[in-house]
Amino acid sequence: MFWQTTRFTLDLTRPHTMGIVNVTPDSFSDGGCHGSTAAALRHCEQLLKDGADILDIGGESTRPGSPAVGLDEELARVLPLVREAVGLGVPISVDTYKPEVMQAVLDLGADIVNDIWALRQPGAAQVVARHPHCGVCLMHMHGDPQTMQVAPMVGDVMPQVLSFLELSAHDLQALGVNKTRIVLDPGIGFGKTVAQNFALLARQRELLAPGYPLLAGWSRKSSLGAVTGLDVEQRLQPSVAAALLAVERGARVVRVHDVRETVQALAVWRAMESDPVVAG
């Protein structure tokens, strides 16, 4: 299984680790930590030393209740870092739902558009479709960041998420985007209850039925805090455990803050999987 991106064709037979780089003052976990381009670039370089395969740069917080960020502000946060990061030799993903930001970062050579709105904003799908090779991650979100946890989903979450993701991917392919460019994300925490989030993890293999690679983003999420009682800065171990469980259930990319520890845990998992006696 491969993920085609602007400059790289990623072999997802091995799980890939996507390191989170937030250039925001208000993200739920590390807001304000990498406010300057220089600081954010140093963080990128550290994540690569820790073993990140992909860097995911975001200029707008999507934590529950977070206010929207204006276009000019997001561009000012993201573009200087993307301009530098594309020279680091790894795929650069940009976490945005604004088509203007998508176009601007793709013009700079970014490899992946990671969109919490699954290209539902006017013009977003067309930006991706016009690009010959860029990768895209389509995520399920119920509601929007301002309201999603006020009125979360009801009922059996799995068929709703699966249907949405499958239709989103189908619609994008109808615009001429090759299936190899598309990865799906169930959107852990985006308008779902704690129980629904863990139901998505327990039944995650059902999301593989449409035949697209799956990205899982459990890192430091509030559902982990709900079951452990830990504050966000204390959720390293639960985050690694969730990433491993997601990979064991078929995720090919895990989006994480704690790259080094996740990479180490995945190395243990891969050693078990590669042992013909254990794996058989």
Side-chain angles (χ1 to χ4, degrees):
M1 182 173 284
F2 294 89
W3 190 8
Q4 179 62 54
T5 74
T6 299
R7 299 174 297 162
F8 303 87
T9 301
L10 305 180
D11 182 356
L12 298 184
T13 55
R14 172 183 66 82
H16 280 51
T17 302
M18 175 184 276
I20 298 170
V21 185
N22 286 321
V23 282
T24 58
D26 56 347
S27 289
F28 80 97
S29 177
D30 55 356
C33 294
H34 320 299
S36 70
T37 299
L41 188 60
R42 286 194 297 272
H43 184 56
C44 289
E45 292 168 343
Q46 183 59 55
L47 292 179
L48 295 182
K49 291 178 183 177
D50 291 342
D53 302 296
I54 306 166
L55 297 174
D56 188 50
I57 296 169
E60 178 174 341
S61 173
T62 54
R63 78 187 194 284
S66 59
V69 172
L71 172 61
D72 290 343
E73 178 63 24
E74 186 176 350
L75 288 170
R77 293 175 181 180
V78 168
L79 293 189
L81 179 58
V82 172
R83 190 174 289 112
E84 297 296 325
V86 292
L88 294 175
V90 299
I92 301 301
S93 168
V94 178
D95 184 353
T96 186
Y97 59 85
K98 297 184 180 71
E100 299 90 346
V101 177
M102 295 176 190
Q103 188 64 64
V105 298
L106 290 173
D107 288 345
L108 290 176
D111 299 280
I112 298 163
V113 169
N114 182 15
D115 184 5
I116 64 170
W117 280 91
L119 303 181
R120 286 180 288 158
Q121 295 295 322
Q126 287 70 28
V127 170
V128 170
R130 284 196 301 267
H131 195 280
H133 301 299
C134 75
V136 60
C137 181
L138 305 174
M139 195 195 81
H140 176 275
M141 175 173 61
H142 175 74
D144 58 55
Q146 290 74 45
T147 64
M148 60 191 181
Q149 294 309 122
V150 176
M153 297 176 69
V154 296
D156 187 351
V157 67
M158 179 58 73
Q160 299 178 66
V161 171
L162 180 57
S163 175
F164 172 86
L165 292 175
E166 192 166 14
L167 180 60
S168 298
H170 178 270
D171 288 348
L172 189 55
Q173 285 185 261
L175 293 176
V177 175
N178 193 283
K179 185 175 183 177
T180 60
R181 295 169 57 184
I182 301 171
V183 164
L184 304 180
D185 178 355
I188 300 302
F190 284 81
K192 295 140 183 118
T193 65
V194 173
Q196 288 171 337
N197 288 322
F198 282 102
L200 285 170
L201 180 58
R203 299 169 57 189
Q204 184 183 275
R205 291 191 181 278
E206 295 178 36
L207 296 172
L208 304 176
Y212 300 91
L214 199 67
L215 181 149
W218 276 90
S219 187
R220 304 183 187 176
K221 290 291 177 72
S222 60
S223 287
L224 300 177
V227 299
T228 63
L230 297 174
D231 292 333
V232 62
E233 67 275 6
Q234 301 173 313
R235 296 174 192 162
L236 167 60
Q237 289 88 351
S239 296
V240 172
L244 275 177
L245 289 168
V247 168
E248 190 273 332
R249 287 161 172 77
R252 296 292 87 192
V253 182
V254 285
R255 183 178 181 271
V256 302
H257 298 86
D258 304 295
V259 168
R260 181 182 59 181
E261 293 84 355
T262 304
V263 168
Q264 290 170 349
L266 287 174
V268 175
W269 177 83
R270 284 200 307 274
M272 178 192 71
E273 288 293 295
S274 63
D275 187 318
V277 176
V278 175

